[in-house]
Amino acid sequence: MEHAALLQQLIDQSRHIVFFGGAGVSTESGIPDFRSVDGLYHQKYDYPPETMLSHDFFVRHPEEFFRFYRDKMLPLEAQPNGAHQKLAELEQAGKLLAIITQNIDGLHQKAGSKKVYELHGSVHRNYCTLCGKFYDAEFMRSTQGIPRCNCGGIIKPDVVLYGESLDSRVMAGAAQAIDRADLLIVGGTSLVVYPAAGFVANYRGGKLVLINRDPTPYDNRADYLFRDSIGKLFSQIRV
């Protein structure tokens, strides 16, 4: 049975689907994958991206941080692809419990999804570090130098930088959703970092489907393993 037909059958048989996605879900929308061959980690800057996207770098070199952030982390023209759109339709049909994403681009919400656990935050939420006033991504992109609030405080993106803790409420919600799932679809993530690896390792529910172009450490745990384009695969699904 071809992959799309098999995925269709699994979705049709399930009532509590959870989708866990990483950078590979958004690459088909033109957003680079950090760790792919042509991703951010292989481009040339004064510092490696992993350093520039750390809490310590943000504190010590805020101007350089924001120069990189505006240049590389705000692809606001990107549009949802077939995977984002079909997942939103599955939620509206009452079959998808939640989306758990490592991405910060907001494309799931742009496609219409409501229950999205953003493990690493979102570029669309930015807050003054002094007074807490909210600013959107368009505002951040329009600023120069270090973006400051009317009160004088630095405006920080609500994204989890290296060296920062993940939001415990988001983590708890994601874990509860996975506990309820009768079908867990994991796509576009290398599963080499936690908590992503932990969520999959601890899954004791129904079927586990992995969709990824490259091998992951959890391939042998999957009930079904698809080496496919996520957007192309989901575009063929009927809701």
Side-chain angles (χ1 to χ4, degrees):
M1 186 181 294
E2 65 171 8
H3 288 175
L6 183 52
L7 182 60
Q8 180 76 60
Q9 186 179 88
L10 292 168
I11 289 173
D12 290 344
Q13 293 170 349
S14 305
R15 298 180 59 191
H16 305 292
I17 303 169
V18 170
F19 180 83
F20 186 110
V25 179
S26 291
T27 51
E28 290 171 57
S29 293
I31 296 177
D33 173 358
F34 274 40
R35 292 179 174 80
S36 67
V37 174
D38 55 351
L40 288 180
Y41 276 67
H42 295 266
Q43 298 176 12
K44 303 300 182 187
Y45 290 92
D46 293 341
Y47 302 88
E50 194 163 15
T51 297
M52 299 179 78
L53 293 174
S54 69
H55 177 80
D56 185 63
F57 193 88
F58 169 77
V59 172
R60 293 172 182 268
H61 308 282
E63 192 145 355
E64 187 72 6
F65 169 87
F66 281 110
R67 187 171 73 86
F68 176 82
Y69 182 79
R70 287 189 200 93
D71 185 32
K72 290 295 177 186
M73 308 304 292
L74 292 174
L76 303 184
E77 286 77 28
Q79 296 299 318
N81 59 53
H84 297 107
Q85 293 161 350
K86 200 64 65 170
L87 288 164
E89 291 175 26
L90 285 168
E91 181 186 52
Q92 289 156 13
K95 292 184 70 70
L96 185 81
L97 283 180
I99 291 167
I100 303 164
T101 182
Q102 296 172 286
N103 299 333
I104 59 175
D105 50 48
L107 288 179
H108 285 295
Q109 290 91 334
K110 201 170 187 177
S113 292
K114 305 297 183 190
K115 197 69 171 178
V116 183
Y117 293 103
E118 295 173 309
L119 297 178
H120 298 157
S122 172
V123 300
H124 296 282
R125 297 187 300 270
N126 306 272
Y127 298 98
C128 172
T129 53
L130 284 184
C131 74
K133 183 178 177 181
F134 168 85
Y135 292 87
D136 63 18
E138 291 287 359
F139 174 87
M140 296 296 282
R141 190 163 66 170
S142 71
T143 59
Q144 294 182 338
I146 301 170
R148 292 193 179 273
C149 177
N150 297 334
C151 77
I154 295 177
I155 303 167
K156 181 183 182 295
D158 186 18
V159 299
V160 180
L161 302 176
Y162 291 102
E164 294 180 341
S165 300
L166 276 67
D167 187 311
S168 59
R169 291 169 300 178
V170 174
M171 288 281 288
Q176 287 173 0
I178 287 179
D179 283 345
R180 293 180 58 202
D182 58 5
L183 173 62
L184 176 61
I185 304 174
V186 180
T189 174
S190 58
L191 293 176
V192 294
V193 295
Y194 280 81
F199 280 137
V200 175
N202 295 328
Y203 180 57
R204 297 291 183 270
K207 301 275 192 302
L208 173 61
V209 173
L210 289 188
I211 308 168
N212 205 52
R213 66 184 186 185
D214 300 316
T216 80
Y218 292 88
D219 287 358
N220 62 341
R221 290 178 181 246
D223 296 296
Y224 300 94
L225 181 63
F226 301 146
R227 294 268 180 262
D228 269 316
S229 151
I230 301 173
K232 182 180 177 183
L233 196 57
F234 269 93
S235 295
Q236 299 175 67
I237 297 301
R238 301 180 313 278
V239 177

